[in-house]
């Protein structure tokens, strides 16, 4: 079962059958409950994880208890790998958003595997580098814009994540999305309403249909409706 799950994960897609078997042998499949804490900020990075099913949020908390979601990871996506490869503690916390499962890759065993098979590392790095570039672009687009531009940039990012579909399925709540974008739910709702009124998007529950890609891209670039 583990090998079947691993073979479908993007970062392992270039591995041959022998390499997949080696990866499967060191992986530990763990079931997680909704809201279960997977690791805490500052905890020793003893390994990294991949979402096998469900969703996981990685976030930081301020002293006052305010939460900032850094990213929502879905099926097939790795998280916590920086702590392993950089030999440091986890810089943020991770929590399951729904019932599911994660694959855990122990640091020591994974590094031994990598040292004995350099081609394995190169194949993994190629996929991880492309993923990192995409995430870095999203973070830059979101952090440097006003809230309408952040939302537009996020929606454009999601269209690429969901195979360039014109209808995006939001698998997180509006309050969680607001947290990712660094705003509050009320502000996000107003922006959704304004974008709908201008026929840029159409909102139906958690499904968002892109009506005008050019205007959405322009909003992303300008950062506001002005």
């Amino acid at each position: 079962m583990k090998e079947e799950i691993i073979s479908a994960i993007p970062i392992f897609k270039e591995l041959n059958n022998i390499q997949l078997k080696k990866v499967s042998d060191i992986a530990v499949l763990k079931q997680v409950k909704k809201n279960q804490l997977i690791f805490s900020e500052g905890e020793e990075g003893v390994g990294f994880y991949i979402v096998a099913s469900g969703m996981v949020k990685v976030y930081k908390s301020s002293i006052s208890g305010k939460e900032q979601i850094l990213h929502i990871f879905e099926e097939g996506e790795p998280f916590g790998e920086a702590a392993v490869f950089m030999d440091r503690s986890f810089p943020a916390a991770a929590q399951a958003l729904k019932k599911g499962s994660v694959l855990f890759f122990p640091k020591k065993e994974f590094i031994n595997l990598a040292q004995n098979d350099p081609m394995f590392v190169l194949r993994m790095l190629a996929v991880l580098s492309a993923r990192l570039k995409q995430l870095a672009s999203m973070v830059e687009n979101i952090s440097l814009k006003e809230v309408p531009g952040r939302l537009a940039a996020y929606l454009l990012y999601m269209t690429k994540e969901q195979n360039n579909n014109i209808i995006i399925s939001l698998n997180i709540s509006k309050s969680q999305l607001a947290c990712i974008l660094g705003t509050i739910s009320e502000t996000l709702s107003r922006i959704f309403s304004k974008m709908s009124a201008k026929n840029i998007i159409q909102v139906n529950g958690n499904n968002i249909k892109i009506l005008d890609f050019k205007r959405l891209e322009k909003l992303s670039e300008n950062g506001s409706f002005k």
Side-chain angles (χ1 to χ4, degrees), residues 73-178:
F73 293 89
E74 300 186 65
E75 187 174 325
E77 295 187 300
F79 62 99
E81 69 273 19
V84 172
F85 296 127
M86 296 177 69
D87 195 24
R88 55 183 292 187
S89 59
F90 290 116
Q95 183 181 37
L97 287 176
K98 58 172 67 174
K99 181 181 178 182
S101 58
V102 296
L103 285 162
F104 172 67
F105 296 86
K107 177 180 177 178
K108 183 179 179 180
E109 287 83 349
F110 190 83
I111 289 177
N112 286 339
L113 178 60
Q115 288 175 336
N116 293 323
D117 190 349
M119 188 56 66
F120 161 74
V121 179
L122 291 174
R123 286 172 171 168
M124 260 197 68
L125 285 177
V127 180
L128 279 173
S129 296
R131 179 70 182 169
L132 181 60
K133 183 179 179 180
Q134 187 179 25
L135 286 174
S137 177
M138 184 197 73
V139 170
E140 181 180 2
N141 282 334
I142 289 176
S143 62
L144 299 178
K145 302 178 187 296
E146 294 181 38
V147 179
R150 294 179 210 168
L151 177 57
Y154 184 84
L155 294 179
L156 289 170
Y157 167 79
M158 289 303 297
T159 61
K160 294 177 182 178
E161 283 287 286
Q162 298 182 17
N163 301 314
N164 294 315
N165 289 332
I166 63 169
I167 298 179
I168 304 166
S169 177
L170 287 181
N171 294 321
I172 57 176
S173 68
K174 297 282 176 45
S175 62
Q176 288 168 340
L177 177 56

Side-chain angles (χ1 to χ4, degrees), residues 35-41 56-62 65-73 90-97 179:
N35 297 326
Q36 181 177 331
L37 189 66
I38 298 171
F39 57 76
S40 302
E41 181 177 352
V56 172
K57 70 174 179 181
V58 170
Y59 66 97
K60 293 180 76 71
S61 298
S62 65
K66 184 179 179 181
E67 182 181 290
Q68 174 63 58
I69 297 177
L70 303 178
H71 195 65
I72 303 284
F73 293 89
F90 290 116
Q95 183 181 37
L97 287 176
C179 189

